[in-house]
Every structure is written in structure tokens, then in C-alpha cells.
Amino acid sequence: MQNLSEQEIERRKDREELMRLGINPYPAEAFPVNVNAADIHKNYENRKNDYKNISIAGRLMSRRIMGSASFAEIQDATGRLQIYVRRDDICPGEDKTLYNSVFKKLLGIGDFIGVKGYMFTTQTGEISLHVTELKVLSKSVKPLPVVKRDEEGNVYDGFTDPEMRYRQRYVDLTVNPEFKKTFITRSKIISQMRKYFDDHGWLEVETPILQAVHGGAAARPFETHHNTLDMPLFLRIANELYLKRLIVGGFDGVYEFGKMFRNEGMDRTHNPEFTSMEIYVAYKDYIWMMEMVEELIEQVTQTIHGKTTIKVGANEISFAAPYRRLTMYDSIKEYAGIDVSQMDEKALREVCTKLAIEVDDTMGKGKLIDEIFGAKVEAHLIQPTYITDYPIEMTPLAKKHRTEPGLVERFELFVNGKEIANAYTELNDPIDQRERFEDQLKLAERGDDEAMAMDEDFLRALEYGMPPTSGLGIGIDRLTMLMTDNTTIQEVLFFPQMRPEKKQVELNEEEKTVFELLKGNSPMELSALKDLAGLSNKKWDASLKGLRAKGVIDIKKENDILTISLLG
């Protein structure tokens, strides 16, 4: 049964009263809107004659009831607008119910209304809508958090808890509309990238999300089962191998913006579901791709910020080309003081031990080098930097380096200490590719659950012939973090993955007493807690039984001493 607060109960009563008055709190018919709040604020002073017949809708966000007339604010997708509501204007006849009962008593903060009227300027200079018609569009039965702002714009009692904001993004965007800018910027980034690709004649495509073989990256997949086909399927960890099939099929350039899924850890820069853009262009190599990426990112930054140098945290970052280029081995030598270029797996493990880098037996040479790089180099790469020429063991899908044995033609773009792009001169030799997959299978046998699987159909495609090709992947979430100066990936995702929401546990007064004493003092000796609680034996026993049944506490016995601790 749903537990309702006092306000929620009252709002439900208001909903019932509206229906009793013959007013549908959720009408089906469309409400005509001919303007938005931002347009009015921007243009009214210069085009007053154009704002005599206004129809606008939005959430009711504040009210100042003053007898037979009131001021209020409504909020649409573009901002807030003050409205002036006079009883005799919206109730021209004898019946004043719409104002006296509906507007003053039955409507509340968060309700959607539609209003019509004309614009004017108040004596204090506030652009306002003089309402001549008002219609209820949607009754809110759950109250919004009350966010207070003073005259200087300072916020009090804000809806600021990150977990609540991410779980209830719909509330966050309503009471903290400034966060909409992040997502508008994200959309502009994708639009600008798409325009750049389209202007070059490359085709946007769609590839399968459910795949029979997970491939295209070193990552642990999510697995599911298709009942009709009676076969396991994987949510894609990358779309690379399907996009390359299309290059085999005769397209010169294909790209895709899409969701990828990796069953791995979560932190400030990783979400199990993320957005990536991958593009493949025939007859190009990774050197050409570096120049293309510089031009692309420079254009995106210019479009978003009107300049190519932006502030990210404490750093001024310039996205103007060209970007620094540094090989993987040289970067480790420069920032860690170690030359790993000639080391075998045993020597690399010794280096990791010396540097206190945690490794395990499943890691091969490539992963060990990657761990050293991640621990000692990444944080230093603040300005846009290409790390190039990776060891062959790290990159099963890239072509062998044209002049450096043991390396592949690959680069990653690092900015502000994080990788945002990854590109290769693509491996198009089917024999070499099969051998690389076989090496991955050996790593899987050692327990590496991120090793790539053998993809026979992809190998068959390569056997038909793939032209020389360069491919690129860009993490849209991380690029958006940079462009909006955000430090956590959750801030640039509308709905990031979260742990299951804990159900609120109702405690009686004695249980609350024990719970409050334990907060900040868990674990605690049972006897000491009982003395502090000051409850009778009967109430003490009942409170412990209740707290254990509700999964709030745990009691353990060690060395004949009973201790009590909070769970979760």
C-alpha cells in the first residue's frame, strides 16, 4: 500500500474536488501555444504590438495571492514568465469559482496550466502576462521540492543531493532548470559532429545491439537469451566489426552514434551503458585520422563555446590544432622514467610490483603495459595529446606498424587526463586477424574475461577483401563532460545507472531511539547501547526484534561479547 504524506493526501483531495466541479484535471484536447517564455523576454520590448494575443502553457512555480488579483510564475521549457491573474477577467460572469476555488485553493505549485492574454509591464518594470483565460492542464499530486532564491539569486533549500538528482531527473530538471544547459550542449555536440560527417559524404548507419559474438573491444559483455532462436546473445560492447563489414560491402565511409554496454565497474567516468560514435573511412590511415579529429574537435569547440580555448576545472585547455603526439613507450619513459619497449611479461610484472601497481595472473604483456601507462602517465596528459604506436598485444584489431616491429598503428586522444578517442589503421589481413583472435582465446583460457571472442563471420568478410581503412571511436559522454566542465559522467547522462532504491523503513519510537544512538557509533557493544537507550527490558527486546526483522541491524557474538551494527 502506498504511504502518502499529508501534502499528497491534500493534493488528491484537490484533484477529486476539481472533478466534482466538472473540471477534468487531465484534459485530452491540445492547448494552443503560440510563444514561449524566452521569446517574450528577448523580444517584447522591441515588438510590443506582436504580444497582444498570447497563448502559453507551463508549470505553476510560485503564487502571490492578493484578494481578487494575484501574481504567479509559470515555467515552460525555456524559462519562467510572470502572470497577472484578476478574478473578474478570468470569471467575467457571476460564477467566480475558477478564481476563488480553482486558482486560489485547488491549484498548487507544480500544476500545469494554460493561459491566454496580453503582455504588459508592471510598475516595477516586470514583463508580465495579463491573463484573460486560464485552463487546468495537469494536476500534480506529489509536491515539488521548494527551492528558494533570494533577490541576488542565491539558492536555499536546494534539490542538490546527487543521488536524488540522478534518480529523479524529472524533478532535477524542473527545480534546477540550469542543468538543462548540459544536455542541450550534449545535443549540439552530436549535431555538429553529424553535420561534419554528412558534409564529407559519409553515411550514418545502424548496426545490431544484440550480437551473437561480442567483439570490437576488450570488455566484459552483458549476456541475455533469445527464446525463439534458443541461443545466447550479447549486448554490444562495440559496433566496430559490423561497421567494417559495411566497408567490405562497398561504402567508403560509415558512422554510427549508439549505445554500448560493458558489464564492468562504475566510477566518475564509467557507466555500464554509454554513448559512442564510431566512424570508418576507406583508403585512409591513422595519420590522416589524427588530422581529421583535430579539425572535428576544433569545430565542435568553436560551435559550442565560440572559441577553441575553454576552462575545464582549474585548467585552460586549447583544442586548436595541432595536438602533441607521443608514442606509448616514450610516454612511459617520459613520465615514469622506465623503458618498457624491450621487456617481456616477467620483467613487466616486476615493474608493476616495484610501482605498487595491482595486477593478476590473467594479464598478458599488453594489459601490463596498459596498467603502467594508466597509473603513471594518464594524469599528466592535460592538453590534447595523441598517444600513438601501441604494443601489438594491446590491440587485436589494428594493423601492424609499417616501420616498428611489435607495434600497431593506433592512437588515443587524451585530454585533461582522460581518453576521449581511440583510432587505428584497421587490420584488413584476414590471416593476421585470425592469428590475433587466436591469441585472444589463449588469454581467455587464462581467465581474462575481457578477451575478444573468435568471430568467424567477421573473418569471412575480411577474406572477401576490405580496402585500407582507418577507424575512430569517440566517447560522447566524456566529450560532453569536457565541453560542459563536469567531473562526473552521471551529470551528462539523463538517467545514469543506479543501485536499487532502498525502501523507506518505518520505525516506531523505541526503534528510532536505538537507531539514532547507533548512527555514527556502529558497531557498538550491546550492553553499552542498552544503557544509553534507557528502555525497559520489554521495549528493548521488542525494538531489537523489530530492527532485525526490518533488516536495519545485525547482532554478532565475538569472544563472549555481543556487538550490534547498522546494515546498509
Side-chain angles (χ1 to χ4, degrees), residues 139-153:
K139 176 67 187 169
S140 166
V141 295
K142 186 180 262 317
L144 290 170
V146 178
V147 179
K148 301 171 185 174
R149 289 176 171 83
D150 61 21
E151 293 180 358
E152 284 74 39

Side-chain angles (χ1 to χ4, degrees), residues 40 58 71 114 204 206 239 246 258 265 272 274 292 301 321 341 419 429 446 456 528 547:
I40 292 171
F71 280 99
E204 183 171 11
E206 295 173 287
N239 47 5
L246 297 179
F274 63 98
M292 190 275 275
T301 311
S341 61
E419 175 252 324
D429 178 346
R446 291 173 54 175
E456 290 289 353
L547 289 169

Side-chain angles (χ1 to χ4, degrees), residues 99-378:
Y99 183 82
N100 291 339
S101 295
V102 176
F103 182 76
K104 290 176 66 174
K105 298 176 182 178
L106 301 180
L107 289 181
I109 304 303
D111 293 347
F112 283 89
I113 61 172
V115 288
K116 296 180 180 180
Y118 57 89
M119 299 305 304
F120 74 106
T121 305
T122 66
Q123 291 181 349
T124 59
E126 182 79 15
I127 296 174
S128 305
L129 173 66
H130 190 127
V131 178
T132 56
E133 294 182 39
L134 183 147
K135 182 176 182 178
V136 178
L137 298 180
S138 182
K139 176 67 187 169
S140 166
V141 295
K142 186 180 262 317
L144 290 170
V146 178
V147 179
K148 301 171 185 174
R149 289 176 171 83
D150 61 21
E151 293 180 358
E152 284 74 39
N154 298 313
V155 176
Y156 302 92
D157 299 327
F159 187 68
T160 57
D161 178 71
E163 182 167 341
M164 291 293 289
R165 288 181 51 238
Y166 304 152
R167 285 191 190 282
Q168 301 181 33
R169 185 68 84 182
Y170 38 87
V171 176
D172 182 35
L173 295 171
T174 299
V175 300
N176 300 317
E178 62 272 16
F179 289 121
K180 285 184 177 179
K181 294 178 183 177
T182 294
F183 299 101
I184 292 170
T185 298
R186 180 188 177 104
S187 181
K188 288 180 178 178
I189 290 169
I190 294 173
S191 294
Q192 178 59 34
M193 293 175 71
R194 181 176 278 120
K195 180 179 184 303
Y196 180 91
F197 298 147
D198 290 347
D199 287 348
H200 282 77
W202 301 322
L203 182 69
E204 183 171 11
V205 298
E206 295 173 287
T207 61
I209 292 175
L210 288 173
Q211 300 181 352
V213 180
H214 61 89
R220 183 189 303 168
F222 288 94
E223 185 173 355
T224 186
H225 186 84
H226 192 284
N227 291 335
T228 302
L229 296 176
D230 191 22
M231 63 181 288
L233 291 172
F234 303 92
L235 295 180
R236 68 182 176 195
I237 57 176
N239 47 5
E240 175 170 344
L241 302 188
Y242 282 92
L243 291 171
K244 287 180 181 177
R245 286 171 169 91
L246 297 179
I247 296 295
V248 171
F251 290 102
D252 280 347
V254 292
Y255 72 92
E256 180 177 16
F257 289 91
K259 291 286 188 182
M260 309 300 154
F261 308 87
R262 298 184 183 179
N263 198 356
E264 299 172 339
M266 297 172 59
D267 57 31
R268 297 169 73 88
T269 59
H270 293 86
N271 193 65
E273 173 186 353
F274 63 98
T275 302
S276 176
M277 186 291 304
E278 291 203 22
I279 183 167
Y280 294 81
V281 185
Y283 312 112
K284 308 297 183 185
D285 63 10
Y286 80 138
I287 296 172
W288 173 89
M289 187 65 80
M290 286 186 226
E291 296 171 355
M292 190 275 275
V293 170
E294 287 172 348
E295 185 176 76
L296 172 66
I297 301 297
E298 189 172 358
Q299 283 192 20
V300 167
T301 311
Q302 185 71 42
T303 299
I304 300 301
H305 295 282
K307 55 185 179 180
T308 56
T309 299
I310 64 174
K311 191 81 177 289
V312 180
N315 300 314
E316 288 278 348
I317 295 180
S318 172
F319 287 99
Y323 302 160
R324 187 188 185 200
R325 302 182 185 188
L326 190 64
T327 70
M328 167 69 80
Y329 288 155
D330 285 346
S331 71
I332 295 174
K333 189 183 299 183
E334 178 174 330
Y335 293 107
I338 300 169
D339 185 356
V340 300
S341 61
Q342 303 302 317
M343 290 185 181
D344 59 14
E345 185 175 319
K346 182 173 181 293
L348 288 167
R349 288 186 178 278
E350 291 172 355
V351 168
C352 290
T353 301
K354 181 180 178 181
L355 296 175
I357 297 172
E358 187 175 342
V359 297
D360 59 54
D361 293 340
T362 69
M363 293 181 177
K365 182 178 175 181
K367 276 204 170 184
L368 294 171
I369 292 173
D370 196 33
E371 290 295 320
I372 296 170
F373 174 82
K376 296 299 177 181
V377 180
E378 283 190 16

Side-chain angles (χ1 to χ4, degrees), residues 45-106:
E45 290 296 343
N46 297 322
R47 293 167 39 201
K48 291 184 178 181
N49 289 333
D50 294 337
Y51 294 91
K52 299 296 186 183
N53 186 21
I54 295 302
S55 183
I56 191 170
R59 277 189 193 270
L60 190 61
M61 297 302 289
S62 69
R63 284 188 306 178
R64 300 194 304 278
I65 305 293
M66 300 177 296
S68 63
S70 303
F71 280 99
E73 276 188 314
I74 61 170
Q75 177 175 291
D76 66 9
T78 67
R80 291 193 181 192
L81 179 69
Q82 180 168 280
I83 63 173
Y84 175 65
V85 184
R86 212 162 65 97
R87 181 188 61 200
D88 293 341
D89 289 331
I90 66 170
C91 307
E94 293 296 321
D95 185 357
K96 307 298 182 183
T97 303
L98 183 61
Y99 183 82
N100 291 339
S101 295
V102 176
F103 182 76
K104 290 176 66 174
K105 298 176 182 178
L106 301 180

